[in-house]
Structure formats: C-alpha cells, structure tokens
Amino acid sequence: MPENTTVQAGPAGGKVYPFINCVLSILDSNDKFGLWAQKPKEERLKKYFLLDSDAFKGIDTLCGSDSAPIRRQAAIFFQAVAMALEIRTGARIGSIVELDEEGLGRAVVYSGRLVLSVYGWRQGQFGFTSMDKAVEEGERFIAAGVEWLEKYPEIAQM
C-alpha cells in the first residue's frame, strides 16, 4: 500500500484511501459466514483480492487459462469504484463487468444514462498483484467518474 496509508477509515493518522475501504466492504459482504472477519484487513486484501503470479499462468494461450481469479478481482475492483463514487457524490452508481473464457473483458461504470468509465482489456492486461497499483488505478477511475458527474449531472439523473 502507498506510504502513510491506513486501511481503517477515520482520523487515526495517515492518509485514508476510501477505495481500500470499499474493497474491504465488498469482501465482507461476500463473507456470508463470517469466516474472514477475524483475519487482519491486510491479510484479507492479499488473500481474497490481490492476484498472485499463478493467476497469470497460461496468459500466452488464448483458451483454457483459468480466468476465475481475474474475473473475481475485476468484479470487486469495479464494484469498489462504483461504491466509492456513490459515497463521494451521493449519486446512484452501478458497474457491469464481463470476462469471457478467452480473457477478453470489459467493464462499465455508470450513473443513470451517463457512462462514467469504460475499460476493456485482453488476456493478461488486467490484474493487480499489489495494493499500490490497485489504489492508484481505483483512484484514477474515481476521479474520472467525479469529473463526468460534475460535467453532466442531468444525464446521470435520467
């Protein structure tokens, strides 16, 4: 994580990245039986959100690689972007993520009829192995979404 980053929200020193808290909220909502609740936040992020090098095995082949970890991370990532935008702006935000068996993916973050972000990737072009990169990209998507919402608020309300 970036220097001086805390994973907890609140005034307890250090810079707080709301994106990380959104990722943790989504992970917590997927923990139906509370099995992960006792684990430290950093461990949950590492185990259930970040990818390891094994997730990128088979990238050179078009078909047959296991894209389930990338699919899970992409869904959580763009849900967290949508959640952070909702918290920051008060607008209703949604996200759609699609990844096929060949590794071609796309994600759309939207509000009403306004598309806040569109991102497409080919196999091996999406995935985060460090929280630094995930936060950097997440904050970039959030900033772009806020910019579009401020520019076209009437379309977002349709």
Side-chain angles (χ1 to χ4, degrees):
M1 280 182 259
E3 288 184 31
N4 299 325
T5 302
T6 60
V7 180
Q8 301 171 355
K15 186 170 183 181
V16 176
Y17 286 87
F19 179 76
I20 296 173
N21 291 330
C22 292
V23 169
L24 286 166
S25 293
I26 292 165
L27 290 176
D28 289 344
S29 70
N30 291 329
D31 183 16
K32 294 177 177 55
F33 301 108
L35 300 174
W36 309 338
Q38 303 303 321
K39 295 183 180 184
K41 294 176 182 186
E42 290 82 4
E43 184 180 338
R44 283 188 282 162
L45 287 169
K46 184 176 180 185
K47 185 168 183 175
Y48 301 108
F49 178 68
L50 295 177
L51 300 176
D52 57 9
S53 60
D54 292 339
F56 293 105
K57 282 185 180 174
I59 280 178
D60 295 334
T61 62
L62 275 179
C63 297
S65 65
D66 182 18
S67 60
I70 294 172
R71 180 174 297 148
R72 182 185 69 233
Q73 187 185 59
I76 292 170
F77 178 83
F78 287 102
Q79 286 173 355
V81 167
M83 181 186 287
L85 277 166
E86 237 178 68
I87 291 168
R88 190 170 295 176
T89 64
R92 294 176 63 127
I93 312 289
S95 68
I96 300 170
V97 176
E98 168 181 289
L99 180 67
D100 67 14
E101 294 80 24
E102 294 178 354
L104 300 172
R106 73 180 73 125
V108 178
V109 180
Y110 62 92
S111 179
R113 292 186 177 198
L114 180 63
V115 175
L116 305 173
S117 175
V118 176
Y119 185 72
W121 67 91
R122 294 177 188 219
Q123 189 169 17
Q125 293 179 335
F126 183 87
F128 303 103
T129 56
S130 78
M131 222 37 222
D132 291 342
K133 299 275 187 191
V135 168
E136 183 180 314
E137 282 297 301
E139 292 295 328
R140 188 176 64 81
F141 278 108
I142 293 165
V146 168
E147 184 179 321
W148 279 103
L149 280 168
E150 289 173 349
K151 193 171 186 179
Y152 302 104
E154 66 281 351
I155 298 174
Q157 294 174 2
M158 293 179 135

